[in-house]
Amino acid sequence: MDVNQRYAALLGLGDEWTVTDVALDVPGKRVDVYVEYAKRSAICPECGELAGIHDRLEERSWRHLETMQFVTEIHARTPRASCPKHGVKAIELPWASKSSRFTLLFEAFAIDVLKAAKSIKDAQGILRLSWCQVQQIMAAAVRRGMARRDADEIPFVGMDEKSFRHGRKADDFACVMTDIEGRRILEVGRGRSEQGARQLMGKALSPLQRYLVCGAAIDMSAPFEKAIRELLPCADVVFDRFHVEKHLNEGVDDTRRQENGRMLKRGDKRPAKTKHIWLKGFERLSDEEEARRQDLMRVALQTGKAWGFKEMSGAFWKSVDKRFAQANFTFWHEQVVKSGIRPMIKVANTLKRHLYGLLAWFGCMIDNALTEGFNSTIQSLKASARGYRNFENFRTVILFFCGKLDLRPDLVRIGSAL
């Protein structure tokens, strides 16, 4: 068996393909394998019927798995079959998918490397590929994975916005939809408007899936809520408890800054630089931090009260049912209003306007903790790539790493002819 036959066996080519030459470039650490189609007929990719060869396209190359430490490429002129039904069509190659510049085996290997590597940049070094080439492999893998995804029932979803580019315009943000029980990202949409949210849900869920969604966890975004009520008719809109805590923390911090400004005018700097103490929950304070907080509460009376209201609000989520939760909230709201602390009154009134979505939690008991967890992964991917200017590339990398997709190519291919 000569070297050409050996490479034909290694590549798993059938009788219809012949290796005509293997060029070894030792200084360049490169192996080029030249392949020719040896039959006069081929299978039409549209109907699977045998047809005559019409012509051959210009020579193309495909990156293959390395031979030892040598970069290996396959070169061939793809035949075109002349089908009586479908006309002239390029045949399906046994080693690569349509329009790809990589073999199926190399794509499978690259996907495994990308999944295991700490960053895309690290994977580039291992694979010896450019950023654009890696992105092409990831985009093809995501297209395969999304096409293979089953239309299973998804009872609970979460939606949240994520910064895509610097700026405050709607298009500077991406909207992410998660499958809460499946612990995966379903789809990524452009913008945070009502139209963007509708488009996202239309892409992420089939009409039947949209009908079967029981609950959707979001922040208090009016565009998101309106889109959900329109496209997810059976879903309860649940306002995320972690975003509620964010509003409460902002109220406490606004109170601290206002009170600190008043006390600085009197020369008292004790409340300065104490933001982290007030934003921590009581159970997470160290003994030293608790002692300092107790000392500060003797002088920063308004901030101490605001912090107390924040902690007191936790009783809402511990209520045994919706009825007790509403009573807890009513009492809490009354106390905040009586206190006269404007930042906290503003937060309390905001929560009161959205109380129906807070009470909906007792029916579904879902939140956006999973989505928030994905945010750290997404931020890491953005940092690794030094940010993204192209939204489709941003969407691809998120779904590649967080979509739980079946990404690997199908390595069982039908031969072009027998």
Side-chain angles (χ1 to χ4, degrees), residues 143-182:
R143 285 194 296 271
R144 274 194 302 270
M146 295 297 281
R148 292 169 177 169
R149 180 178 272 176
D150 294 329
D152 296 332
E153 179 182 351
I154 300 174
F156 302 113
V157 298
M159 288 177 62
D160 197 14
E161 63 188 42
K162 180 63 183 172
S163 173
F164 161 50
R165 296 184 303 203
H166 295 295
R168 304 302 301 172
K169 295 180 181 178
D171 280 353
D172 294 326
F173 291 82
C175 182
V176 177
M177 174 172 276
T178 56
D179 171 7
I180 293 176
E181 286 194 348

Side-chain angles (χ1 to χ4, degrees), residues 46-207:
E46 296 290 335
C47 62
E49 296 294 330
L50 203 62
I53 296 296
H54 179 267
D55 61 5
R56 288 170 173 80
L57 299 174
E58 292 296 319
E59 184 180 288
R60 292 184 60 192
S61 61
W62 295 264
R63 173 76 182 274
H64 190 51
L65 297 173
E66 293 184 2
T67 303
M68 302 299 185
Q69 74 275 27
F70 287 61
V71 171
T72 304
E73 289 202 356
I74 297 175
H75 302 261
R77 296 181 63 189
T78 305
R80 295 200 299 171
S82 180
C83 179
K85 295 180 180 178
H86 301 98
V88 178
K89 298 288 183 179
I91 71 169
E92 185 180 62
L93 299 173
W95 62 79
S97 56
K98 186 179 180 181
S99 302
S100 176
R101 300 308 298 269
F102 308 95
T103 67
L104 297 169
L105 286 170
F106 185 85
E107 284 194 48
F109 174 68
I111 289 167
D112 290 341
V113 170
L114 282 161
K115 285 286 192 179
K118 294 181 179 179
S119 70
I120 295 176
K121 186 176 180 180
D122 292 341
Q124 282 180 238
I126 296 170
L127 298 169
R128 292 193 271 186
L129 295 175
S130 68
W131 186 90
C132 289
Q133 289 174 317
V134 170
Q135 196 67 34
Q136 289 170 6
I137 290 174
M138 293 172 65
V142 168
R143 285 194 296 271
R144 274 194 302 270
M146 295 297 281
R148 292 169 177 169
R149 180 178 272 176
D150 294 329
D152 296 332
E153 179 182 351
I154 300 174
F156 302 113
V157 298
M159 288 177 62
D160 197 14
E161 63 188 42
K162 180 63 183 172
S163 173
F164 161 50
R165 296 184 303 203
H166 295 295
R168 304 302 301 172
K169 295 180 181 178
D171 280 353
D172 294 326
F173 291 82
C175 182
V176 177
M177 174 172 276
T178 56
D179 171 7
I180 293 176
E181 286 194 348
R183 305 191 65 80
R184 57 180 175 164
I185 289 181
L186 293 172
E187 186 55 273
V188 183
R190 184 73 179 270
R192 54 179 178 177
S193 63
E194 180 186 339
Q195 181 181 0
R198 285 200 299 265
Q199 291 175 347
L200 172 65
M201 285 184 272
K203 290 170 62 178
L205 303 169
S206 69

